Amino acid sequence: MSNVFYMPPVTLMGPNAIQSLGAELASKELKKALIVTDGVLVEVGLVSKLTDELTAHGIDYVIYDGVQPNPTEKNIEDGLALLAQSNADFVISFGGGSSHDTAKGIALVAANGGHIRDYSKGVHLSKKPQLPLVTVNTTAGTASEMTVFAIITNQEDETKYPVVDKHFTPIIAVNDSELMVAMPKFLTATTGMDALTHAVEAYVSTAATPITDAAAIKAIELIVNNLEAVVNNGQDREARDAMQYGEYLAGMAFSNASLGYVHSMAYQLGGVYDLSHGLCNAILLAEVSRFNAQQVPERFVDIAKAMGIDTAAMTQEQAVNAALEAIDALSEKVGTKQRLADLGVTEDKLAFMAQNTLNDACSLTNPRKASLEEIVNIFKARM
């Protein structure tokens, strides 16, 4: 069976990478950008790193700063309205996954018409390339700056859904670790655990390939070796740089191998309770992995090794358990090992969320198939 691998044609990586963006854009003769971001990043002055670069190269811009932490269909509609009003000819997202996902929705619908929901009923449904998209990343977690995924919230029915489209790939992605230095401690932790979840789920995915395996294993190694350090000291430049490479590699892996039940379940928690996506992943990762390890134990032995565990004298079962314990231990160290009940989750919603989990596209590549009752029990185990 043949495989297709998607990633941006150009990615600017490393400290002060944003300072190379203006020249890249000028060479493409783009005239006016719709910058998609959130109000906080504007208020703290971080967006000025981008606008100064655009101004220096004669590129005009308008800012849409209404992005919410769990981006909604309305965020996309509001951005589309400003895009049409401003006559911008390309889109730049600035921030984390919420900004990137909103910008993807705006750029795709602007070029193809309809409603973003129209593109969620399958994969790669758009007919035309989206409006040119540039992504400037400020977190080391979602990897949305380079993937074919966007996660959108429908507030009317309390659901979050993935849109998977090859045209989401930006023309330029920017991962500048200096933009991540001021990231708050808890956001650093939750986005880092999100990146670890991407790598683990991609590695055990039924759609994994040697390319995605290599990216996922290296991502696990980088994240496990650097996340605690960067949570404890946000100014640790070396750890920040390592984390941006780790999250990008994890993105390479899951953008092409897809994900599994951790993400499908986390989407439901976000849709119903508006919880942090990275936090939900952190809470669920070890428990879903325990379920999946019964199907692919050898994969979790590899994960244990990537986490730095000496498995030489261990049985397969011992190595698997060591990996699961190490995931939970890291989550506890960085402050994301929490209980769902403490976050307001109630048992009366579990069956509803479990059914939506099984209907979610990411569930298709989970290595072990679950019943509705089994998904409910996984939720209960983390209550």
Side-chain angles (χ1 to χ4, degrees):
M1 184 180 73
S2 63
N3 292 290
V4 181
F5 195 85
Y6 298 107
M7 64 183 297
V10 175
T11 302
L12 308 176
M13 299 283 289
N16 301 310
I18 196 169
Q19 295 176 10
S20 301
L21 178 59
E24 288 280 349
L25 293 176
S27 70
K28 298 182 182 303
E29 300 183 348
L30 296 168
K31 303 299 182 186
K32 186 173 185 179
L34 172 70
I35 298 173
V36 178
T37 188
D38 66 65
V40 172
L41 292 177
V42 174
E43 287 176 18
V44 301
L46 205 58
V47 176
S48 66
K49 300 281 188 181
L50 170 62
T51 56
D52 288 350
E53 180 70 8
L54 296 179
T55 299
H57 289 82
I59 299 169
D60 198 5
Y61 61 86
V62 62
I63 298 175
Y64 170 66
D65 63 359
V67 174
Q68 297 171 232
N70 285 306
T72 66
E73 294 173 338
K74 187 176 187 304
N75 290 155
I76 293 172
E77 291 160 8
D78 290 347
L80 281 164
L82 183 56
L83 178 75
Q85 177 186 328
S86 65
N87 292 316
D89 60 345
F90 73 113
V91 179
I92 303 179
S93 58
F94 187 96
S98 299
S99 295
H100 304 320
D101 288 357
T102 303
K104 287 175 176 178
I106 293 168
L108 193 78
V109 174
N112 287 273
H115 190 280
I116 188 60
R117 209 179 305 159
D118 300 336
Y119 303 95
S120 68
K121 309 303 182 184
V123 298
H124 309 312
L125 295 182
S126 68
K127 303 298 183 184
K128 297 185 292 186
Q130 65 184 359
L131 209 63
L133 173 66
V134 176
T135 55
V136 181
N137 197 34
T138 64
T139 66
T142 70
S144 186
E145 79 278 2
M146 57 81 64
T147 69
V148 297
F149 282 75
I151 312 302
I152 309 300
T153 297
N154 178 346
Q155 291 179 305
E156 293 178 4
D157 64 5
E158 297 184 321
T159 59
K160 288 178 75 171
Y161 56 86
V163 182
V164 184
D165 199 292
K166 62 186 178 183
H167 288 138
F168 275 156
T169 309
I171 58 171
I172 303 171
V174 181
N175 264 344
D176 183 341
S177 53
E178 283 297 307
L179 298 177
M180 303 174 188
V181 168
M183 190 164 43
K185 182 174 182 176
F186 190 64
L187 183 60
T188 298
T190 57
T191 54
M193 289 301 294
D194 187 19
L196 179 62
T197 304
H198 292 154
V200 171
E201 289 213 284
Y203 192 69
V204 303
S205 165
T206 58
T209 69
I211 295 176
T212 62
D213 284 351
I217 286 294
K218 186 62 179 179
I220 292 168
E221 178 186 319
L222 286 168
I223 294 163
V224 168
N225 287 337
N226 291 280
L227 179 56
E228 186 181 0
V230 81
V231 167
N232 290 335
N233 176 14
Q235 300 293 317
D236 186 333
R237 259 63 176 186
E238 185 176 349
R240 284 283 186 203
D241 211 41
M243 282 299 299
Q244 73 159 358
Y245 278 102
E247 74 95 33
Y248 193 91
L249 285 163
M252 288 172 58
F254 90 82
S255 188
N256 294 281
S258 194
L259 295 160
Y261 287 151
V262 181
H263 272 75
S264 295
M265 295 172 73
Y267 295 153
Q268 312 320 315
L269 291 165
V272 175
Y273 295 101
D274 199 28
L275 296 174
S276 157
H277 175 67
L279 178 60
C280 293
N281 280 339
I283 292 169
L284 294 167
L285 178 56
E287 199 64 37
V288 174
S289 294
R290 183 170 288 107
F291 176 84
N292 285 336
Q294 296 180 51
Q295 183 71 28
V296 286
E298 70 285 352
R299 290 255 139 180
F300 285 94
V301 174
D302 293 342
I303 289 168
K305 294 174 183 176
M307 297 185 78
I309 298 166
D310 183 358
T311 63
M314 293 182 180
T315 65
Q316 184 180 74
E317 182 180 2
Q318 289 171 332
V320 169
N321 287 334
L324 303 182
E325 290 168 6
I327 290 169
D328 263 345
L330 177 61
S331 185
E332 185 166 17
K333 287 174 182 176
V334 301
T336 58
K337 190 179 180 184
Q338 301 183 28
R339 308 303 299 186
L340 293 175
D342 293 337
L343 300 174
V345 178
T346 55
E347 291 203 5
D348 62 299
K349 289 283 191 178
L350 297 186
F352 169 74
M353 293 192 297
Q355 186 59 63
N356 285 337
T357 292
L358 295 174
N359 294 336
D360 184 85
C362 291
S363 292
L364 295 175
T365 46
N366 197 78
R368 183 184 175 199
K369 300 310 172 188
S371 66
L372 187 143
E373 182 181 6
E374 286 171 324
I375 296 296
V376 168
N377 286 338
I378 293 171
F379 276 126
K380 284 183 176 179
R382 291 290 158 153
M383 289 290 284

